[in-house]
Short mmCIF file of all heavy atoms in Angstrom, two decimals:
data_model
loop_
_atom_site.label_atom_id
_atom_site.label_comp_id
_atom_site.label_asym_id
_atom_site.label_seq_id
_atom_site.Cartn_x
_atom_site.Cartn_y
_atom_site.Cartn_z
N MET A 252 -145.05 -130.05 129.47
CA MET A 252 -144.72 -128.74 128.75
C MET A 252 -145.80 -128.65 127.66
O MET A 252 -146.05 -129.59 126.93
CB MET A 252 -143.32 -128.72 128.28
CG MET A 252 -142.96 -127.43 127.75
SD MET A 252 -141.31 -127.26 127.14
CE MET A 252 -140.39 -127.61 128.69
N SER A 253 -146.43 -127.40 127.47
CA SER A 253 -147.40 -127.28 126.43
C SER A 253 -146.86 -126.95 125.04
O SER A 253 -145.64 -126.55 124.89
CB SER A 253 -148.37 -126.18 126.84
OG SER A 253 -147.71 -124.89 126.82
N LEU A 254 -147.61 -127.21 124.06
CA LEU A 254 -147.22 -126.96 122.71
C LEU A 254 -146.90 -125.48 122.48
O LEU A 254 -146.09 -125.16 121.70
CB LEU A 254 -148.33 -127.52 121.73
CG LEU A 254 -148.12 -127.47 120.22
CD1 LEU A 254 -147.01 -128.29 119.86
CD2 LEU A 254 -149.39 -127.77 119.58
N CYS A 255 -147.78 -124.61 123.05
CA CYS A 255 -147.67 -123.14 122.84
C CYS A 255 -147.13 -122.46 124.16
O CYS A 255 -147.33 -123.03 125.23
CB CYS A 255 -149.01 -122.54 122.44
SG CYS A 255 -149.59 -123.13 120.89
N LEU A 256 -146.63 -121.31 123.92
CA LEU A 256 -146.23 -120.49 125.10
C LEU A 256 -147.54 -120.21 125.82
O LEU A 256 -148.62 -119.92 125.36
CB LEU A 256 -145.63 -119.22 124.65
CG LEU A 256 -144.24 -119.25 123.94
CD1 LEU A 256 -143.76 -117.82 123.66
CD2 LEU A 256 -143.23 -119.92 124.84
N THR A 257 -147.41 -120.10 127.15
CA THR A 257 -148.58 -119.66 127.98
C THR A 257 -148.92 -118.08 127.85
O THR A 257 -148.02 -117.43 127.32
CB THR A 257 -148.28 -119.90 129.52
OG1 THR A 257 -147.26 -119.07 129.95
CG2 THR A 257 -148.01 -121.46 129.74
N ARG A 258 -150.04 -117.73 128.23
CA ARG A 258 -150.40 -116.38 128.17
C ARG A 258 -149.37 -115.39 128.99
O ARG A 258 -148.98 -114.36 128.62
CB ARG A 258 -151.81 -116.10 128.66
CG ARG A 258 -152.81 -116.62 127.71
CD ARG A 258 -154.21 -116.33 128.14
NE ARG A 258 -155.16 -116.78 127.17
CZ ARG A 258 -156.48 -116.62 127.23
NH1 ARG A 258 -157.03 -116.02 128.28
NH2 ARG A 258 -157.33 -117.15 126.29
N ASP A 259 -149.00 -116.05 130.11
CA ASP A 259 -147.94 -115.29 131.02
C ASP A 259 -146.62 -115.24 130.24
O ASP A 259 -145.87 -114.15 130.36
CB ASP A 259 -147.76 -116.04 132.27
CG ASP A 259 -149.00 -115.80 133.24
OD1 ASP A 259 -149.76 -114.81 133.03
OD2 ASP A 259 -149.11 -116.63 134.20
N GLU A 260 -146.17 -116.19 129.60
CA GLU A 260 -144.92 -116.27 128.82
C GLU A 260 -145.03 -115.27 127.71
O GLU A 260 -143.96 -114.56 127.52
CB GLU A 260 -144.64 -117.65 128.38
CG GLU A 260 -144.23 -118.58 129.45
CD GLU A 260 -144.12 -120.08 128.98
OE1 GLU A 260 -144.87 -120.43 128.06
OE2 GLU A 260 -143.20 -120.75 129.52
N ILE A 261 -146.08 -115.19 126.99
CA ILE A 261 -146.20 -114.20 125.97
C ILE A 261 -146.16 -112.82 126.48
O ILE A 261 -145.55 -111.94 125.86
CB ILE A 261 -147.51 -114.49 125.09
CG1 ILE A 261 -147.28 -115.81 124.31
CG2 ILE A 261 -147.79 -113.37 124.11
CD1 ILE A 261 -148.48 -116.23 123.46
N ALA A 262 -146.83 -112.58 127.64
CA ALA A 262 -146.77 -111.15 128.26
C ALA A 262 -145.37 -110.89 128.65
O ALA A 262 -144.94 -109.78 128.48
CB ALA A 262 -147.75 -111.22 129.49
N GLU A 263 -144.59 -111.89 129.11
CA GLU A 263 -143.23 -111.66 129.49
C GLU A 263 -142.37 -111.40 128.29
O GLU A 263 -141.50 -110.41 128.23
CB GLU A 263 -142.71 -112.89 130.27
CG GLU A 263 -141.17 -112.69 130.72
CD GLU A 263 -140.67 -113.73 131.56
OE1 GLU A 263 -141.45 -114.80 131.73
OE2 GLU A 263 -139.58 -113.76 131.90
N LEU A 264 -142.58 -112.15 127.20
CA LEU A 264 -141.86 -112.02 126.03
C LEU A 264 -141.99 -110.51 125.51
O LEU A 264 -141.11 -109.90 124.94
CB LEU A 264 -142.27 -112.96 125.02
CG LEU A 264 -141.74 -112.83 123.51
CD1 LEU A 264 -140.19 -113.18 123.58
CD2 LEU A 264 -142.44 -113.84 122.58
N THR A 265 -143.32 -110.13 125.39
CA THR A 265 -143.67 -108.87 124.68
C THR A 265 -143.61 -107.71 125.61
O THR A 265 -143.65 -106.46 125.11
CB THR A 265 -145.05 -108.98 124.13
OG1 THR A 265 -146.03 -109.19 125.10
CG2 THR A 265 -145.09 -110.10 123.05
N SER A 266 -143.62 -107.83 126.92
CA SER A 266 -143.65 -106.79 127.89
C SER A 266 -145.07 -106.01 127.75
O SER A 266 -145.13 -104.87 127.99
CB SER A 266 -142.48 -105.83 127.83
OG SER A 266 -141.28 -106.46 128.12
N ARG A 267 -146.01 -106.81 127.24
CA ARG A 267 -147.38 -106.16 127.09
C ARG A 267 -148.38 -107.10 127.80
O ARG A 267 -148.37 -108.30 127.71
CB ARG A 267 -147.71 -106.10 125.55
CG ARG A 267 -146.70 -105.47 124.71
CD ARG A 267 -146.68 -103.98 124.92
NE ARG A 267 -145.89 -103.33 123.97
CZ ARG A 267 -144.58 -102.98 124.11
NH1 ARG A 267 -143.98 -103.49 125.09
NH2 ARG A 267 -143.94 -102.36 123.21
N ALA A 268 -149.42 -106.47 128.43
CA ALA A 268 -150.42 -107.18 129.05
C ALA A 268 -151.65 -107.46 128.18
O ALA A 268 -152.25 -108.44 128.35
CB ALA A 268 -150.94 -106.57 130.36
N GLN A 269 -151.94 -106.56 127.42
CA GLN A 269 -153.13 -106.59 126.51
C GLN A 269 -152.92 -107.41 125.31
O GLN A 269 -151.92 -107.30 124.64
CB GLN A 269 -153.69 -105.23 126.15
CG GLN A 269 -154.10 -104.40 127.36
CD GLN A 269 -155.16 -105.01 128.11
OE1 GLN A 269 -156.14 -105.42 127.64
NE2 GLN A 269 -155.06 -105.00 129.49
N PRO A 270 -153.84 -108.33 124.88
CA PRO A 270 -153.66 -109.21 123.73
C PRO A 270 -153.37 -108.37 122.45
O PRO A 270 -152.55 -108.83 121.59
CB PRO A 270 -154.95 -109.95 123.55
CG PRO A 270 -155.67 -109.88 124.90
CD PRO A 270 -155.08 -108.64 125.65
N ALA A 271 -154.10 -107.31 122.16
CA ALA A 271 -153.89 -106.45 120.98
C ALA A 271 -152.49 -105.94 120.95
O ALA A 271 -151.83 -105.96 119.95
CB ALA A 271 -154.96 -105.29 120.89
N ALA A 272 -151.90 -105.41 122.10
CA ALA A 272 -150.63 -104.96 122.16
C ALA A 272 -149.56 -106.10 122.01
O ALA A 272 -148.56 -105.88 121.39
CB ALA A 272 -150.38 -104.26 123.46
N GLN A 273 -149.95 -107.20 122.47
CA GLN A 273 -149.07 -108.44 122.24
C GLN A 273 -148.91 -108.74 120.78
O GLN A 273 -147.87 -109.02 120.25
CB GLN A 273 -149.53 -109.58 123.14
CG GLN A 273 -149.38 -109.38 124.66
CD GLN A 273 -150.17 -110.53 125.33
OE1 GLN A 273 -150.93 -111.24 124.80
NE2 GLN A 273 -149.89 -110.53 126.62
N ARG A 274 -150.13 -108.83 120.11
CA ARG A 274 -150.15 -109.10 118.67
C ARG A 274 -149.34 -108.09 117.94
O ARG A 274 -148.64 -108.43 116.99
CB ARG A 274 -151.61 -109.25 118.20
CG ARG A 274 -152.35 -110.49 118.74
CD ARG A 274 -153.70 -110.63 118.02
NE ARG A 274 -154.42 -109.46 117.92
CZ ARG A 274 -155.33 -109.03 118.72
NH1 ARG A 274 -155.57 -109.66 119.88
NH2 ARG A 274 -155.96 -107.99 118.44
N ARG A 275 -149.48 -106.80 118.26
CA ARG A 275 -148.84 -105.74 117.52
C ARG A 275 -147.24 -105.94 117.80
O ARG A 275 -146.52 -105.86 116.78
CB ARG A 275 -149.32 -104.37 118.18
CG ARG A 275 -149.11 -103.26 117.25
CD ARG A 275 -149.87 -101.99 117.72
NE ARG A 275 -150.03 -101.84 119.18
CZ ARG A 275 -151.29 -102.03 119.76
NH1 ARG A 275 -152.28 -102.36 119.10
NH2 ARG A 275 -151.42 -101.75 121.06
N TRP A 276 -146.83 -106.18 119.01
CA TRP A 276 -145.39 -106.44 119.24
C TRP A 276 -144.86 -107.60 118.43
O TRP A 276 -143.82 -107.58 117.75
CB TRP A 276 -145.17 -106.69 120.74
CG TRP A 276 -143.69 -106.79 121.08
CD1 TRP A 276 -142.98 -105.80 121.56
CD2 TRP A 276 -142.85 -107.97 120.90
NE1 TRP A 276 -141.65 -106.30 121.65
CE2 TRP A 276 -141.58 -107.61 121.29
CE3 TRP A 276 -143.04 -109.23 120.53
CZ2 TRP A 276 -140.51 -108.45 121.38
CZ3 TRP A 276 -141.94 -110.17 120.49
CH2 TRP A 276 -140.78 -109.81 120.96
N LEU A 277 -145.62 -108.66 118.43
CA LEU A 277 -145.22 -109.94 117.62
C LEU A 277 -145.13 -109.60 116.17
O LEU A 277 -144.16 -110.00 115.44
CB LEU A 277 -146.24 -111.08 117.82
CG LEU A 277 -146.20 -111.68 119.29
CD1 LEU A 277 -147.42 -112.53 119.49
CD2 LEU A 277 -144.95 -112.47 119.57
N ASP A 278 -146.14 -108.86 115.64
CA ASP A 278 -146.08 -108.48 114.17
C ASP A 278 -144.85 -107.62 113.89
O ASP A 278 -144.12 -107.82 112.98
CB ASP A 278 -147.42 -107.71 113.83
CG ASP A 278 -148.52 -108.66 113.82
OD1 ASP A 278 -148.45 -109.88 113.50
OD2 ASP A 278 -149.69 -108.06 113.87
N GLN A 279 -144.62 -106.63 114.72
CA GLN A 279 -143.54 -105.60 114.51
C GLN A 279 -142.20 -106.29 114.63
O GLN A 279 -141.27 -105.85 113.97
CB GLN A 279 -143.62 -104.53 115.51
CG GLN A 279 -144.80 -103.54 115.32
CD GLN A 279 -145.02 -102.57 116.32
OE1 GLN A 279 -144.46 -102.68 117.55
NE2 GLN A 279 -145.88 -101.59 116.09
N ASN A 280 -142.02 -107.39 115.38
CA ASN A 280 -140.86 -108.06 115.57
C ASN A 280 -140.69 -109.28 114.72
O ASN A 280 -139.67 -110.09 114.91
CB ASN A 280 -140.62 -108.31 116.96
CG ASN A 280 -140.34 -107.03 117.82
OD1 ASN A 280 -139.27 -106.54 117.78
ND2 ASN A 280 -141.35 -106.41 118.38
N GLY A 281 -141.58 -109.53 113.79
CA GLY A 281 -141.37 -110.63 112.90
C GLY A 281 -141.73 -112.00 113.46
O GLY A 281 -141.13 -112.95 112.91
N TRP A 282 -142.60 -112.18 114.49
CA TRP A 282 -142.88 -113.36 115.10
C TRP A 282 -144.15 -113.95 114.46
O TRP A 282 -145.17 -113.27 114.41
CB TRP A 282 -143.07 -113.27 116.59
CG TRP A 282 -141.91 -113.11 117.33
CD1 TRP A 282 -140.91 -112.05 117.35
CD2 TRP A 282 -141.32 -114.06 118.26
NE1 TRP A 282 -139.88 -112.29 118.19
CE2 TRP A 282 -140.07 -113.48 118.77
CE3 TRP A 282 -141.76 -115.31 118.89
CZ2 TRP A 282 -139.27 -114.16 119.74
CZ3 TRP A 282 -140.95 -115.92 119.72
CH2 TRP A 282 -139.83 -115.35 120.19
N CYS A 283 -144.11 -115.25 113.94
CA CYS A 283 -145.31 -115.89 113.46
C CYS A 283 -146.20 -116.26 114.64
O CYS A 283 -145.68 -116.67 115.66
CB CYS A 283 -144.98 -117.12 112.67
SG CYS A 283 -144.05 -116.85 111.27
N HIS A 284 -147.44 -115.98 114.55
CA HIS A 284 -148.31 -116.46 115.58
C HIS A 284 -149.79 -116.60 114.95
O HIS A 284 -150.09 -116.11 113.88
CB HIS A 284 -148.44 -115.40 116.74
CG HIS A 284 -148.83 -113.98 116.32
ND1 HIS A 284 -148.17 -113.07 115.49
CD2 HIS A 284 -150.04 -113.40 116.39
CE1 HIS A 284 -148.82 -112.19 115.26
NE2 HIS A 284 -149.97 -112.18 115.81
N ALA A 285 -150.64 -117.37 115.82
CA ALA A 285 -152.01 -117.46 115.50
C ALA A 285 -152.75 -116.70 116.57
O ALA A 285 -152.18 -116.27 117.50
CB ALA A 285 -152.47 -118.94 115.47
N VAL A 286 -154.06 -116.45 116.29
CA VAL A 286 -154.93 -115.83 117.33
C VAL A 286 -156.01 -116.74 117.79
O VAL A 286 -156.73 -117.25 116.91
CB VAL A 286 -155.42 -114.55 116.80
CG1 VAL A 286 -156.32 -113.68 117.81
CG2 VAL A 286 -154.41 -113.58 116.31
N ASP A 287 -156.22 -116.94 119.09
CA ASP A 287 -157.30 -117.78 119.53
C ASP A 287 -158.56 -117.02 119.53
O ASP A 287 -158.64 -115.88 119.22
CB ASP A 287 -156.93 -118.40 120.87
CG ASP A 287 -156.97 -117.45 122.09
OD1 ASP A 287 -157.39 -116.34 121.94
OD2 ASP A 287 -156.47 -117.92 123.17
N SER A 288 -159.68 -117.75 119.99
CA SER A 288 -161.09 -117.22 119.83
C SER A 288 -161.22 -116.05 120.81
O SER A 288 -162.20 -115.25 120.72
CB SER A 288 -162.12 -118.25 120.09
OG SER A 288 -161.87 -118.85 121.44
N ASP A 289 -160.30 -115.94 121.84
CA ASP A 289 -160.46 -114.84 122.79
C ASP A 289 -159.53 -113.56 122.35
O ASP A 289 -159.46 -112.62 123.08
CB ASP A 289 -160.03 -115.27 124.15
CG ASP A 289 -160.87 -116.34 124.74
OD1 ASP A 289 -162.05 -116.28 124.47
OD2 ASP A 289 -160.44 -117.11 125.67
N GLY A 290 -158.92 -113.70 121.24
CA GLY A 290 -158.07 -112.66 120.78
C GLY A 290 -156.56 -112.68 121.15
O GLY A 290 -155.82 -111.88 120.96
N TYR A 291 -156.20 -113.74 122.02
CA TYR A 291 -154.82 -113.83 122.54
C TYR A 291 -153.97 -114.55 121.40
O TYR A 291 -154.37 -115.37 120.66
CB TYR A 291 -154.80 -114.67 123.80
CG TYR A 291 -155.32 -113.99 125.03
CD1 TYR A 291 -156.60 -113.90 125.41
CD2 TYR A 291 -154.28 -113.25 125.80
CE1 TYR A 291 -157.00 -113.27 126.47
CE2 TYR A 291 -154.71 -112.53 126.93
CZ TYR A 291 -156.05 -112.52 127.26
OH TYR A 291 -156.40 -111.84 128.36
N PRO A 292 -152.77 -114.01 121.26
CA PRO A 292 -151.87 -114.61 120.32
C PRO A 292 -151.36 -116.00 120.78
O PRO A 292 -151.22 -116.16 122.08
CB PRO A 292 -150.68 -113.65 120.26
CG PRO A 292 -150.71 -112.89 121.62
CD PRO A 292 -152.09 -112.82 121.92
N LYS A 293 -151.10 -116.86 119.91
CA LYS A 293 -150.61 -118.30 120.25
C LYS A 293 -149.21 -118.43 119.45
O LYS A 293 -149.23 -118.12 118.27
CB LYS A 293 -151.58 -119.33 119.73
CG LYS A 293 -152.94 -119.23 120.31
CD LYS A 293 -152.95 -119.47 121.78
CE LYS A 293 -153.53 -120.92 122.04
NZ LYS A 293 -153.54 -121.28 123.43
N VAL A 294 -148.29 -118.69 120.17
CA VAL A 294 -146.96 -118.98 119.67
C VAL A 294 -146.35 -120.30 120.02
O VAL A 294 -146.48 -120.67 121.18
CB VAL A 294 -145.97 -117.92 120.17
CG1 VAL A 294 -144.53 -118.03 119.64
CG2 VAL A 294 -146.35 -116.44 119.90
N LEU A 295 -145.99 -121.07 119.01
CA LEU A 295 -145.61 -122.50 119.28
C LEU A 295 -144.24 -122.36 120.13
O LEU A 295 -143.30 -121.49 119.71
CB LEU A 295 -145.23 -123.12 117.93
CG LEU A 295 -146.49 -123.52 117.11
CD1 LEU A 295 -145.97 -124.13 115.80
CD2 LEU A 295 -147.34 -124.60 117.83
N ARG A 296 -144.15 -123.17 120.98
CA ARG A 296 -142.92 -123.12 121.90
C ARG A 296 -141.70 -123.43 121.11
O ARG A 296 -140.70 -122.83 121.30
CB ARG A 296 -143.10 -124.18 122.96
CG ARG A 296 -142.09 -124.28 124.10
CD ARG A 296 -142.40 -125.00 125.27
NE ARG A 296 -143.66 -124.70 125.85
CZ ARG A 296 -143.70 -123.58 126.78
NH1 ARG A 296 -142.58 -122.91 127.04
NH2 ARG A 296 -144.84 -123.21 127.33
N ALA A 297 -141.77 -124.44 120.23
CA ALA A 297 -140.50 -124.78 119.49
C ALA A 297 -140.06 -123.60 118.60
O ALA A 297 -138.89 -123.35 118.41
CB ALA A 297 -140.83 -126.00 118.56
N TYR A 298 -141.09 -122.87 117.98
CA TYR A 298 -140.75 -121.69 117.19
C TYR A 298 -140.04 -120.51 118.07
O TYR A 298 -139.11 -120.05 117.76
CB TYR A 298 -142.00 -121.16 116.60
CG TYR A 298 -141.80 -119.84 115.78
CD1 TYR A 298 -141.27 -119.86 114.52
CD2 TYR A 298 -142.16 -118.54 116.36
CE1 TYR A 298 -141.09 -118.62 113.88
CE2 TYR A 298 -142.01 -117.49 115.69
CZ TYR A 298 -141.49 -117.46 114.48
OH TYR A 298 -141.20 -116.27 113.82
N ALA A 299 -140.65 -120.41 119.33
CA ALA A 299 -140.10 -119.38 120.15
C ALA A 299 -138.67 -119.68 120.54
O ALA A 299 -137.77 -118.77 120.59
CB ALA A 299 -140.95 -119.16 121.41
N GLU A 300 -138.51 -120.99 120.92
CA GLU A 300 -137.06 -121.46 121.25
C GLU A 300 -136.10 -121.24 120.06
O GLU A 300 -134.96 -120.87 120.34
CB GLU A 300 -137.17 -122.92 121.79
CG GLU A 300 -137.86 -123.02 122.99
CD GLU A 300 -138.10 -124.51 123.55
OE1 GLU A 300 -137.72 -125.43 122.70
OE2 GLU A 300 -138.50 -124.70 124.74
N GLY A 301 -136.62 -121.48 118.89
CA GLY A 301 -135.75 -121.28 117.80
C GLY A 301 -135.36 -119.81 117.54
O GLY A 301 -134.30 -119.41 117.27
N LYS A 302 -136.38 -118.94 117.66
CA LYS A 302 -136.17 -117.54 117.57
C LYS A 302 -135.31 -117.02 118.59
O LYS A 302 -134.43 -115.97 118.33
CB LYS A 302 -137.48 -116.68 117.71
CG LYS A 302 -138.47 -116.81 116.43
CD LYS A 302 -138.04 -115.99 115.34
CE LYS A 302 -138.47 -114.58 115.52
NZ LYS A 302 -138.23 -113.77 114.39
N LEU A 303 -135.34 -117.61 119.83
CA LEU A 303 -134.48 -117.13 120.88
C LEU A 303 -133.12 -117.77 120.97
O LEU A 303 -132.36 -117.51 121.86
CB LEU A 303 -135.15 -117.26 122.28
CG LEU A 303 -136.44 -116.47 122.25
CD1 LEU A 303 -137.32 -116.86 123.64
CD2 LEU A 303 -136.12 -114.96 122.41
N GLY A 304 -132.84 -118.67 119.94
CA GLY A 304 -131.51 -119.32 119.89
C GLY A 304 -131.35 -120.50 120.79
O GLY A 304 -130.23 -120.89 121.12
N LEU A 305 -132.45 -120.98 121.27
CA LEU A 305 -132.45 -122.10 122.26
C LEU A 305 -132.44 -123.46 121.53
O LEU A 305 -132.24 -124.58 122.18
CB LEU A 305 -133.52 -122.07 123.26
CG LEU A 305 -133.58 -120.86 124.13
CD1 LEU A 305 -134.86 -120.76 124.97
CD2 LEU A 305 -132.29 -120.68 124.95
N ARG A 306 -132.69 -123.45 120.28
CA ARG A 306 -132.74 -124.64 119.39
C ARG A 306 -132.00 -124.38 118.16
O ARG A 306 -132.03 -123.16 117.69
CB ARG A 306 -134.19 -125.13 119.07
CG ARG A 306 -135.02 -125.67 120.19
CD ARG A 306 -136.27 -126.07 119.60
NE ARG A 306 -137.00 -126.75 120.66
CZ ARG A 306 -137.78 -127.82 120.59
NH1 ARG A 306 -137.98 -128.37 119.39
NH2 ARG A 306 -138.43 -128.31 121.54
N LYS A 307 -131.46 -125.39 117.48
CA LYS A 307 -130.81 -125.16 116.21
C LYS A 307 -132.03 -125.02 115.12
O LYS A 307 -133.05 -125.70 115.31
CB LYS A 307 -130.03 -126.37 115.95
CG LYS A 307 -128.70 -126.49 116.77
CD LYS A 307 -127.99 -127.74 116.47
CE LYS A 307 -126.82 -128.00 117.43
NZ LYS A 307 -126.18 -129.25 117.20
N PRO A 308 -131.77 -124.27 114.13
CA PRO A 308 -132.78 -124.13 113.16
C PRO A 308 -133.43 -125.41 112.59
O PRO A 308 -134.63 -125.59 112.32
CB PRO A 308 -132.17 -123.32 111.98
CG PRO A 308 -131.09 -122.60 112.73
CD PRO A 308 -130.57 -123.51 113.83
N ALA A 309 -132.52 -126.43 112.41
CA ALA A 309 -133.02 -127.72 111.84
C ALA A 309 -134.02 -128.39 112.82
O ALA A 309 -134.92 -129.11 112.37
CB ALA A 309 -131.83 -128.65 111.64
N GLU A 310 -133.99 -128.12 114.11
CA GLU A 310 -134.91 -128.62 115.08
C GLU A 310 -136.26 -128.13 114.95
O GLU A 310 -137.19 -128.70 115.40
CB GLU A 310 -134.34 -128.46 116.43
CG GLU A 310 -133.07 -129.27 116.67
CD GLU A 310 -132.55 -129.03 118.17
OE1 GLU A 310 -133.40 -128.77 119.11
OE2 GLU A 310 -131.32 -129.13 118.40
N VAL A 311 -136.39 -126.89 114.41
CA VAL A 311 -137.75 -126.23 114.29
C VAL A 311 -138.14 -126.19 112.85
O VAL A 311 -139.07 -125.45 112.50
CB VAL A 311 -137.71 -124.89 114.90
CG1 VAL A 311 -137.62 -124.95 116.34
CG2 VAL A 311 -136.70 -123.95 114.36
N GLY A 312 -137.54 -127.02 111.98
CA GLY A 312 -137.98 -127.15 110.62
C GLY A 312 -137.56 -125.97 109.70
O GLY A 312 -138.34 -125.67 108.72
N ALA A 313 -136.55 -125.17 110.05
CA ALA A 313 -136.15 -124.13 109.28
C ALA A 313 -135.41 -124.59 107.93
O ALA A 313 -135.14 -123.68 107.05
CB ALA A 313 -135.17 -123.26 109.96
N GLU A 314 -134.98 -125.79 107.86
CA GLU A 314 -134.28 -126.25 106.62
C GLU A 314 -135.26 -126.32 105.47
O GLU A 314 -136.41 -126.78 105.66
CB GLU A 314 -133.62 -127.57 106.85
CG GLU A 314 -132.44 -127.49 107.80
CD GLU A 314 -131.76 -128.77 107.93
OE1 GLU A 314 -132.16 -129.69 107.24
OE2 GLU A 314 -130.83 -128.88 108.77
N GLU A 315 -134.80 -126.09 104.30
CA GLU A 315 -135.55 -126.17 103.11
C GLU A 315 -135.65 -127.71 102.69
O GLU A 315 -134.65 -128.43 102.84
CB GLU A 315 -134.97 -125.47 101.90
CG GLU A 315 -135.26 -123.98 101.92
CD GLU A 315 -136.68 -123.63 101.59
OE1 GLU A 315 -137.26 -124.26 100.66
OE2 GLU A 315 -137.27 -122.81 102.23
N PRO A 316 -136.75 -128.14 102.38
CA PRO A 316 -136.92 -129.48 101.90
C PRO A 316 -136.11 -129.71 100.59
O PRO A 316 -135.92 -128.77 99.87
CB PRO A 316 -138.40 -129.72 101.73
CG PRO A 316 -138.98 -128.47 101.76
CD PRO A 316 -138.01 -127.46 102.35
N ASP A 317 -135.80 -130.90 100.24
CA ASP A 317 -135.07 -131.19 98.98
C ASP A 317 -136.11 -131.44 97.93
O ASP A 317 -136.64 -132.54 97.74
CB ASP A 317 -134.28 -132.55 99.14
CG ASP A 317 -133.42 -132.84 97.91
OD1 ASP A 317 -133.42 -132.03 96.96
OD2 ASP A 317 -132.84 -133.96 97.91
N PHE A 318 -136.30 -130.37 97.10
CA PHE A 318 -137.35 -130.41 96.03
C PHE A 318 -136.79 -131.13 94.78
O PHE A 318 -137.49 -131.38 93.85
CB PHE A 318 -137.84 -129.05 95.66
CG PHE A 318 -138.65 -128.46 96.75
CD1 PHE A 318 -138.22 -127.37 97.60
CD2 PHE A 318 -140.04 -128.93 97.08
CE1 PHE A 318 -139.02 -126.84 98.55
CE2 PHE A 318 -140.78 -128.44 98.13
CZ PHE A 318 -140.33 -127.39 98.85
N THR A 319 -135.54 -131.39 94.77
CA THR A 319 -134.92 -131.98 93.55
C THR A 319 -135.48 -133.33 93.37
O THR A 319 -135.45 -133.90 92.15
CB THR A 319 -133.37 -132.08 93.75
OG1 THR A 319 -133.05 -132.84 94.83
CG2 THR A 319 -132.69 -130.78 93.77
N VAL A 320 -135.92 -134.00 94.29
CA VAL A 320 -136.58 -135.41 94.12
C VAL A 320 -137.73 -135.34 93.16
O VAL A 320 -138.10 -136.27 92.53
CB VAL A 320 -136.92 -136.06 95.49
CG1 VAL A 320 -135.70 -136.27 96.38
CG2 VAL A 320 -138.05 -135.27 96.19
N PHE A 321 -138.38 -134.14 93.07
CA PHE A 321 -139.60 -134.13 92.21
C PHE A 321 -139.24 -133.74 90.74
O PHE A 321 -139.96 -134.02 89.95
CB PHE A 321 -140.49 -132.99 92.84
CG PHE A 321 -141.08 -133.29 94.08
CD1 PHE A 321 -140.71 -132.48 95.17
CD2 PHE A 321 -141.99 -134.32 94.31
CE1 PHE A 321 -141.17 -132.82 96.47
CE2 PHE A 321 -142.51 -134.52 95.57
CZ PHE A 321 -142.15 -133.73 96.59
N SER A 322 -138.00 -133.37 90.57
CA SER A 322 -137.66 -133.05 89.18
C SER A 322 -136.90 -134.21 88.43
O SER A 322 -136.73 -134.13 87.32
CB SER A 322 -136.63 -131.86 89.11
OG SER A 322 -135.58 -132.14 89.86
N LYS A 323 -136.72 -135.31 89.25
CA LYS A 323 -136.04 -136.46 88.54
C LYS A 323 -137.06 -137.37 87.84
O LYS A 323 -138.15 -137.46 88.26
CB LYS A 323 -135.42 -137.35 89.65
CG LYS A 323 -134.31 -136.66 90.33
CD LYS A 323 -133.67 -137.54 91.44
CE LYS A 323 -132.56 -136.79 92.03
NZ LYS A 323 -132.05 -137.44 93.26
N ALA A 324 -136.67 -137.69 86.61
CA ALA A 324 -137.66 -138.55 85.79
C ALA A 324 -137.67 -139.93 86.34
O ALA A 324 -136.70 -140.55 86.80
CB ALA A 324 -137.05 -138.52 84.31
N ALA A 325 -138.90 -140.51 86.27
CA ALA A 325 -139.13 -141.79 86.84
C ALA A 325 -138.74 -142.88 85.77
O ALA A 325 -138.81 -142.73 84.67
CB ALA A 325 -140.48 -141.99 87.28
#
């Protein structure tokens, strides 16, 4: 299984064939993504599974780190 959704999976998710339209859909629906050198959006598989409710938020790093450890005097 790959780290990112395939181009076909992104097309299925967005119901869009063109990369620009896919990026627009992702932006409008609040999906984080990167863009590869060909202009296609890249979406991490773990992120997509979290957004779709297939993983618990903790599994995709959605929990806030405990910053209190930095405020304690040494």
Side-chain angles (χ1 to χ4, degrees):
M252 188 175 303
S253 69
L254 182 65
C255 293
L256 297 180
T257 65
R258 289 181 179 182
D259 287 340
E260 288 171 327
I261 292 176
E263 182 178 0
L264 172 70
T265 62
S266 298
R267 309 286 188 273
Q269 299 299 316
Q273 293 170 349
R274 292 192 313 268
R275 205 167 29 255
W276 186 95
L277 292 166
D278 288 337
Q279 290 171 347
N280 288 280
W282 283 66
C283 295
H284 64 281
V286 180
D287 71 12
S288 60
D289 293 333
Y291 282 88
K293 303 292 257 182
V294 177
L295 290 174
R296 182 170 302 282
Y298 174 79
E300 289 174 353
K302 287 280 279 188
L303 296 171
L305 301 175
R306 289 184 178 217
K307 295 177 185 172
E310 293 180 29
V311 292
E314 290 183 2
E315 280 289 318
D317 181 9
F318 291 111
T319 61
V320 297
F321 296 111
S322 62
K323 295 178 182 174

